[in-house]
Amino acid sequence: MSPVPSSVRCHVVTGKGGTGKTTVAAALALALAADGRQVLLVETEGRQGIAQLFDTPPLPYEERRVALARGGGEVRALAIDVEEALLEYLEMFYNLRRAGRALRRVGAVDFATTIAPGLRDVLLTGKVKEAVTRRHDGRPVYDAVVVDAPPTGRITRFLNVTGEMAGLTRSGPIKTQSDGVMAVLKSPQTAVHLVTLLEDMPVQETADAIAELSAVGLPVGSVVVNMAAEPALPEPALARASEAGLIGADLAPALTAAGLQDVPGLADALAAEATEHARRWAAQDELRDEVEALGRPTVELPLLPGPIDLGALFQLAGRLEEHLRTEVAA
Protein backbone atom coordinates (compact mmCIF):
# COMPACT_ATOMS: atom_id res chain seq x y z
CA MET A 1 0.00 0.00 0.00
CA SER A 2 1.29 3.44 -0.88
CA PRO A 3 2.27 5.52 2.17
CA VAL A 4 1.15 8.68 0.35
CA PRO A 5 -2.51 9.70 0.79
CA SER A 6 -3.57 10.10 -2.83
CA SER A 7 -5.47 13.35 -2.35
CA VAL A 8 -2.73 15.17 -0.39
CA ARG A 9 0.31 16.36 -2.31
CA CYS A 10 1.22 19.52 -0.38
CA HIS A 11 2.25 18.84 3.23
CA VAL A 12 2.77 22.03 5.26
CA VAL A 13 4.62 21.47 8.56
CA THR A 14 4.40 24.05 11.36
CA GLY A 15 4.90 24.12 15.11
CA LYS A 16 5.93 26.33 17.99
CA GLY A 17 9.61 27.26 17.95
CA GLY A 18 11.72 24.57 19.56
CA THR A 19 9.37 21.67 18.81
CA GLY A 20 11.54 20.34 15.97
CA LYS A 21 9.31 21.18 13.02
CA THR A 22 12.23 21.28 10.56
CA THR A 23 13.35 17.82 11.67
CA VAL A 24 9.79 16.51 11.31
CA ALA A 25 9.46 18.10 7.85
CA ALA A 26 12.69 16.43 6.71
CA ALA A 27 11.64 13.05 8.11
CA LEU A 28 8.21 13.39 6.49
CA ALA A 29 9.85 14.08 3.13
CA LEU A 30 11.90 10.88 3.47
CA ALA A 31 8.77 8.91 4.41
CA LEU A 32 6.85 10.23 1.41
CA ALA A 33 9.77 9.46 -0.93
CA ALA A 34 9.75 5.74 -0.10
CA ASP A 35 9.14 3.28 -2.93
CA GLY A 36 10.56 5.42 -5.70
CA ARG A 37 8.67 8.69 -5.24
CA GLN A 38 9.95 12.17 -6.01
CA VAL A 39 9.53 14.66 -3.15
CA LEU A 40 10.50 18.31 -2.84
CA LEU A 41 11.34 19.68 0.62
CA VAL A 42 10.94 23.47 0.76
CA GLU A 43 12.41 25.86 3.32
CA THR A 44 10.69 29.25 3.68
CA GLU A 45 12.51 31.02 6.52
CA GLY A 46 16.06 31.34 5.20
CA ARG A 47 17.71 29.56 8.14
CA GLN A 48 19.37 26.80 6.07
CA GLY A 49 18.06 24.28 8.59
CA ILE A 50 17.50 21.65 5.90
CA ALA A 51 21.12 21.88 4.72
CA GLN A 52 22.32 21.38 8.29
CA LEU A 53 20.10 18.32 8.82
CA PHE A 54 21.26 16.63 5.63
CA ASP A 55 24.87 17.77 6.14
CA THR A 56 25.10 19.57 2.79
CA PRO A 57 26.42 23.00 1.79
CA PRO A 58 23.94 25.90 2.09
CA LEU A 59 21.14 25.49 -0.43
CA PRO A 60 20.93 27.95 -3.33
CA TYR A 61 17.70 29.02 -4.98
CA GLU A 62 17.46 25.81 -7.00
CA GLU A 63 16.17 22.31 -6.37
CA ARG A 64 18.97 19.95 -5.33
CA ARG A 65 18.96 16.30 -4.30
CA VAL A 66 19.75 15.89 -0.60
CA ALA A 67 18.81 12.23 0.05
CA LEU A 68 17.81 8.92 -1.52
CA ALA A 69 14.93 7.04 0.11
CA ARG A 70 14.02 3.37 0.23
CA GLY A 71 13.11 1.90 -3.13
CA GLY A 72 14.96 4.52 -5.16
CA GLY A 73 12.92 7.52 -4.06
CA GLU A 74 14.50 10.93 -4.03
CA VAL A 75 14.24 13.99 -1.80
CA ARG A 76 15.19 17.27 -3.40
CA ALA A 77 15.38 20.48 -1.38
CA LEU A 78 14.82 24.15 -2.13
CA ALA A 79 15.53 27.15 0.09
CA ILE A 80 13.28 29.90 -1.26
CA ASP A 81 15.01 33.27 -1.56
CA VAL A 82 12.45 36.09 -1.61
CA GLU A 83 14.47 38.30 -3.94
CA GLU A 84 15.02 35.49 -6.44
CA ALA A 85 11.35 34.54 -6.19
CA LEU A 86 10.40 38.15 -7.00
CA LEU A 87 12.76 38.20 -10.01
CA GLU A 88 11.22 34.94 -11.20
CA TYR A 89 7.74 36.43 -10.72
CA LEU A 90 8.61 39.59 -12.69
CA GLU A 91 10.02 37.51 -15.52
CA MET A 92 7.04 35.14 -15.55
CA PHE A 93 4.31 37.79 -15.59
CA TYR A 94 6.00 40.90 -16.99
CA ASN A 95 9.20 39.72 -18.75
CA LEU A 96 11.09 42.13 -16.48
CA ARG A 97 13.86 40.01 -14.93
CA ARG A 98 16.57 42.48 -15.98
CA ALA A 99 14.61 45.37 -14.53
CA GLY A 100 14.11 43.33 -11.38
CA ARG A 101 17.86 43.01 -10.93
CA ALA A 102 18.16 46.79 -11.18
CA LEU A 103 15.45 47.14 -8.53
CA ARG A 104 17.40 44.80 -6.27
CA ARG A 105 20.55 46.92 -6.61
CA VAL A 106 18.74 50.02 -5.33
CA GLY A 107 17.03 48.16 -2.50
CA ALA A 108 13.54 48.32 -4.00
CA VAL A 109 12.89 44.63 -3.35
CA ASP A 110 13.47 45.02 0.40
CA PHE A 111 11.38 48.19 0.38
CA ALA A 112 8.46 46.50 -1.39
CA THR A 113 8.38 43.47 0.92
CA THR A 114 8.70 45.72 3.99
CA ILE A 115 5.77 48.00 3.20
CA ALA A 116 3.70 45.06 1.95
CA PRO A 117 4.73 42.01 4.04
CA GLY A 118 1.84 40.06 2.52
CA LEU A 119 3.70 40.27 -0.81
CA ARG A 120 6.56 38.28 0.71
CA ASP A 121 4.17 35.47 1.66
CA VAL A 122 2.55 35.54 -1.79
CA LEU A 123 5.98 35.02 -3.35
CA LEU A 124 6.89 32.19 -0.96
CA THR A 125 3.59 30.35 -1.19
CA GLY A 126 3.43 31.06 -4.91
CA LYS A 127 6.64 29.11 -5.41
CA VAL A 128 5.21 26.25 -3.35
CA LYS A 129 2.06 26.25 -5.46
CA GLU A 130 4.13 26.22 -8.65
CA ALA A 131 6.06 23.15 -7.43
CA VAL A 132 2.85 21.34 -6.45
CA THR A 133 1.16 21.99 -9.80
CA ARG A 134 4.23 21.65 -12.07
CA ARG A 135 3.80 18.93 -14.68
CA HIS A 136 5.98 17.22 -17.27
CA ASP A 137 4.52 15.12 -20.09
CA GLY A 138 1.15 15.37 -18.38
CA ARG A 139 2.34 14.04 -15.01
CA PRO A 140 3.21 15.90 -11.80
CA VAL A 141 6.95 16.45 -11.47
CA TYR A 142 6.74 15.79 -7.71
CA ASP A 143 4.62 13.18 -6.00
CA ALA A 144 4.60 15.38 -2.89
CA VAL A 145 5.89 18.75 -1.70
CA VAL A 146 6.76 19.21 1.98
CA VAL A 147 6.98 22.77 3.31
CA ASP A 148 8.99 23.69 6.40
CA ALA A 149 6.68 26.59 7.18
CA PRO A 150 6.79 29.47 9.74
CA PRO A 151 5.84 28.74 13.39
CA THR A 152 2.26 28.30 14.55
CA GLY A 153 2.00 31.93 15.67
CA ARG A 154 2.32 33.07 12.04
CA ILE A 155 1.11 30.10 10.05
CA THR A 156 -2.46 31.25 9.35
CA ARG A 157 -1.33 34.66 8.14
CA PHE A 158 1.39 33.02 6.03
CA LEU A 159 -1.02 30.63 4.30
CA ASN A 160 -4.07 32.88 4.06
CA VAL A 161 -2.48 35.06 1.40
CA THR A 162 -5.74 36.14 -0.26
CA GLY A 163 -6.99 37.76 2.93
CA GLU A 164 -3.63 39.38 3.63
CA MET A 165 -3.38 40.85 0.13
CA ALA A 166 -6.99 42.09 -0.06
CA GLY A 167 -6.05 45.54 1.19
CA LEU A 168 -3.12 45.83 -1.22
CA THR A 169 -4.65 44.89 -4.56
CA ARG A 170 -8.06 43.88 -5.86
CA SER A 171 -7.07 43.00 -9.41
CA GLY A 172 -4.09 42.28 -11.62
CA PRO A 173 -1.39 39.58 -11.65
CA ILE A 174 -0.70 39.70 -7.89
CA LYS A 175 -4.38 39.15 -7.15
CA THR A 176 -4.46 36.35 -9.73
CA GLN A 177 -1.36 34.81 -8.19
CA SER A 178 -2.76 34.91 -4.63
CA ASP A 179 -6.09 33.45 -5.79
CA GLY A 180 -4.25 30.62 -7.54
CA VAL A 181 -2.25 29.91 -4.40
CA MET A 182 -5.37 29.76 -2.25
CA ALA A 183 -7.07 27.43 -4.72
CA VAL A 184 -4.31 24.91 -3.95
CA LEU A 185 -3.89 25.60 -0.22
CA LYS A 186 -7.62 25.30 0.53
CA SER A 187 -8.08 22.19 -1.60
CA PRO A 188 -7.87 18.49 -0.62
CA GLN A 189 -4.36 18.55 -2.12
CA THR A 190 -3.06 20.30 1.02
CA ALA A 191 -2.74 19.31 4.69
CA VAL A 192 -1.24 21.46 7.45
CA HIS A 193 0.51 19.27 10.03
CA LEU A 194 1.28 20.64 13.49
CA VAL A 195 4.30 19.63 15.56
CA THR A 196 4.07 19.84 19.34
CA LEU A 197 5.73 18.65 22.52
CA LEU A 198 3.99 17.28 25.60
CA GLU A 199 4.32 20.65 27.29
CA ASP A 200 1.65 23.21 28.16
CA MET A 201 2.60 26.05 25.81
CA PRO A 202 3.22 23.99 22.64
CA VAL A 203 -0.04 22.06 23.13
CA GLN A 204 -1.98 25.30 23.66
CA GLU A 205 -0.41 26.92 20.59
CA THR A 206 -1.31 23.82 18.59
CA ALA A 207 -4.94 24.07 19.70
CA ASP A 208 -5.02 27.79 18.86
CA ALA A 209 -3.49 27.21 15.43
CA ILE A 210 -5.99 24.47 14.58
CA ALA A 211 -8.85 26.82 15.49
CA GLU A 212 -7.38 29.66 13.40
CA LEU A 213 -6.66 27.47 10.38
CA SER A 214 -10.13 25.93 10.48
CA ALA A 215 -11.76 29.35 10.77
CA VAL A 216 -10.32 30.46 7.42
CA GLY A 217 -10.90 27.14 5.67
CA LEU A 218 -7.33 25.83 5.59
CA PRO A 219 -7.17 22.01 5.86
CA VAL A 220 -5.62 20.63 9.05
CA GLY A 221 -3.76 17.33 8.81
CA SER A 222 -2.06 15.43 11.63
CA VAL A 223 -0.66 16.44 15.00
CA VAL A 224 2.90 15.18 15.48
CA VAL A 225 3.97 14.79 19.11
CA ASN A 226 7.73 15.09 18.86
CA MET A 227 10.47 14.00 21.29
CA ALA A 228 8.16 11.73 23.32
CA ALA A 229 10.23 10.01 26.01
CA GLU A 230 9.58 6.50 27.31
CA PRO A 231 8.82 6.07 31.04
CA ALA A 232 11.74 4.89 33.16
CA LEU A 233 9.50 2.97 35.60
CA PRO A 234 6.79 0.31 35.18
CA GLU A 235 3.24 1.66 35.13
CA PRO A 236 2.28 0.50 38.68
CA ALA A 237 5.40 2.12 40.10
CA LEU A 238 4.72 5.31 38.14
CA ALA A 239 1.20 5.53 39.53
CA ARG A 240 2.34 4.94 43.09
CA ALA A 241 5.21 7.43 42.91
CA SER A 242 3.01 10.07 41.29
CA GLU A 243 0.16 9.79 43.76
CA ALA A 244 1.95 9.24 47.10
CA GLY A 245 5.59 9.96 46.36
CA LEU A 246 8.55 7.83 47.39
CA ILE A 247 10.95 8.08 50.31
CA GLY A 248 14.39 6.62 50.77
CA ALA A 249 13.06 3.77 52.92
CA ASP A 250 10.99 2.53 49.96
CA LEU A 251 14.18 1.89 47.98
CA ALA A 252 16.31 0.54 50.82
CA PRO A 253 15.67 -3.18 50.13
CA ALA A 254 16.64 -2.84 46.47
CA LEU A 255 19.76 -0.85 47.32
CA THR A 256 20.76 -3.47 49.88
CA ALA A 257 20.34 -6.22 47.29
CA ALA A 258 22.57 -4.24 44.95
CA GLY A 259 25.22 -3.73 47.61
CA LEU A 260 24.67 0.06 47.75
CA GLN A 261 23.12 0.37 51.21
CA ASP A 262 26.15 2.20 52.64
CA VAL A 263 26.14 5.17 50.20
CA PRO A 264 24.95 8.17 52.28
CA GLY A 265 21.92 10.01 50.90
CA LEU A 266 21.59 7.80 47.81
CA ALA A 267 18.19 6.34 48.70
CA ASP A 268 16.61 9.74 49.38
CA ALA A 269 18.06 11.25 46.19
CA LEU A 270 16.84 8.38 44.03
CA ALA A 271 13.40 8.49 45.65
CA ALA A 272 13.08 12.22 44.97
CA GLU A 273 14.16 11.76 41.34
CA ALA A 274 11.72 8.89 40.81
CA THR A 275 8.86 10.92 42.29
CA GLU A 276 9.66 13.91 40.06
CA HIS A 277 9.83 11.65 36.99
CA ALA A 278 6.50 9.99 37.81
CA ARG A 279 4.70 13.30 38.33
CA ARG A 280 6.15 14.74 35.15
CA TRP A 281 4.97 11.64 33.29
CA ALA A 282 1.49 11.99 34.78
CA ALA A 283 1.37 15.61 33.60
CA GLN A 284 2.42 14.50 30.11
CA ASP A 285 -0.36 11.90 30.08
CA GLU A 286 -2.87 14.66 30.83
CA LEU A 287 -1.47 16.63 27.88
CA ARG A 288 -1.83 13.52 25.70
CA ASP A 289 -5.53 13.62 26.53
CA GLU A 290 -5.63 17.28 25.46
CA VAL A 291 -3.91 16.43 22.17
CA GLU A 292 -6.35 13.59 21.54
CA ALA A 293 -9.25 15.95 22.26
CA LEU A 294 -8.14 18.10 19.31
CA GLY A 295 -9.75 15.47 17.09
CA ARG A 296 -6.90 15.15 14.60
CA PRO A 297 -4.89 12.05 13.64
CA THR A 298 -1.91 11.91 15.99
CA VAL A 299 1.52 10.28 15.82
CA GLU A 300 4.27 10.26 18.44
CA LEU A 301 7.94 10.43 17.50
CA PRO A 302 10.51 9.20 20.05
CA LEU A 303 13.12 11.30 21.80
CA LEU A 304 16.38 10.18 20.20
CA PRO A 305 19.75 10.36 21.94
CA GLY A 306 22.43 12.61 20.52
CA PRO A 307 22.22 15.05 17.59
CA ILE A 308 19.85 14.44 14.68
CA ASP A 309 21.76 12.99 11.74
CA LEU A 310 20.62 11.24 8.56
CA GLY A 311 20.27 7.91 10.38
CA ALA A 312 18.00 9.52 12.97
CA LEU A 313 15.93 11.12 10.20
CA PHE A 314 15.39 7.72 8.59
CA GLN A 315 14.34 6.31 11.97
CA LEU A 316 11.74 9.05 12.38
CA ALA A 317 10.70 8.64 8.74
CA GLY A 318 9.90 4.97 9.38
CA ARG A 319 7.48 5.93 12.14
CA LEU A 320 5.85 8.57 9.96
CA GLU A 321 5.53 6.08 7.10
CA GLU A 322 3.56 3.77 9.41
CA HIS A 323 1.31 6.69 10.35
CA LEU A 324 0.72 7.57 6.67
CA ARG A 325 -0.26 3.99 5.92
CA THR A 326 -2.76 4.10 8.78
CA GLU A 327 -4.22 7.32 7.34
CA VAL A 328 -4.57 5.76 3.89
CA ALA A 329 -6.38 2.76 5.39
CA ALA A 330 -8.68 5.07 7.35
Side-chain angles (χ1 to χ4, degrees), residues 22-23 25-27 29-30 41 48-57 59 65-68 75-77 308-310 313-314:
T22 300
T23 298
L30 286 171
L41 176 58
Q48 291 293 337
I50 292 172
Q52 294 175 36
L53 280 173
F54 288 97
D55 194 24
T56 66
L59 296 170
R65 188 176 73 185
V66 292
L68 292 174
V75 176
R76 301 181 75 84
I308 299 296
D309 56 14
L310 191 57
L313 287 177
F314 273 106

Side-chain angles (χ1 to χ4, degrees), residues 3 30-32 34-35 70 316-326:
L30 286 171
L32 291 165
D35 298 329
R70 176 176 55 77
L316 298 176
R319 180 68 190 92
L320 289 170
E321 194 174 336
E322 293 175 11
H323 173 68
L324 291 170
R325 285 199 182 96
T326 300

Side-chain angles (χ1 to χ4, degrees), residues 254-263:
L255 292 176
T256 299
L260 297 172
Q261 70 274 18
D262 295 329
V263 180

Side-chain angles (χ1 to χ4, degrees), residues 68-233:
L68 292 174
R70 176 176 55 77
E74 184 177 83
V75 176
R76 301 181 75 84
L78 170 68
I80 301 180
D81 179 88
V82 175
E83 288 189 348
E84 290 295 335
L86 179 57
L87 296 180
E88 187 176 61
Y89 174 84
L90 291 173
E91 181 179 35
M92 185 179 299
F93 288 98
Y94 299 102
N95 197 26
L96 289 175
R97 188 174 183 89
R98 183 174 299 176
R101 290 197 179 96
L103 290 173
R104 180 167 61 178
R105 283 196 294 271
V106 300
V109 173
D110 286 340
F111 177 73
T113 55
T114 299
I115 64 171
L119 176 60
R120 177 187 181 91
D121 291 343
V122 167
L123 293 169
L124 292 171
T125 53
K127 184 60 180 177
V128 171
K129 176 254 185 182
E130 185 276 327
V132 172
T133 58
R134 191 188 312 164
R135 303 181 78 83
H136 179 71
D137 291 337
R139 294 177 55 83
V141 172
Y142 290 109
D143 296 292
V145 175
V146 178
V147 184
D148 178 20
T152 46
R154 204 170 78 80
I155 189 62
T156 302
R157 182 176 181 181
F158 173 72
L159 295 175
N160 193 32
V161 291
T162 297
E164 294 300 320
M165 293 301 294
L168 180 66
T169 178
R170 299 185 182 278
S171 61
I174 294 179
K175 178 66 163 58
T176 302
Q177 170 85 335
S178 62
D179 286 348
V181 169
M182 292 313 301
V184 171
L185 294 182
K186 289 191 174 183
S187 76
Q189 292 184 82
T190 298
V192 184
H193 308 296
L194 298 106
V195 183
T196 188
L197 304 178
L198 291 175
E199 299 174 4
D200 290 322
M201 289 187 64
V203 170
Q204 185 58 56
E205 280 205 20
T206 299
D208 293 343
I210 289 175
E212 292 173 3
L213 291 165
S214 300
V216 297
L218 289 162
V220 179
S222 298
V223 175
V224 181
V225 177
N226 197 22
M227 293 184 269
E230 294 292 326
L233 296 172

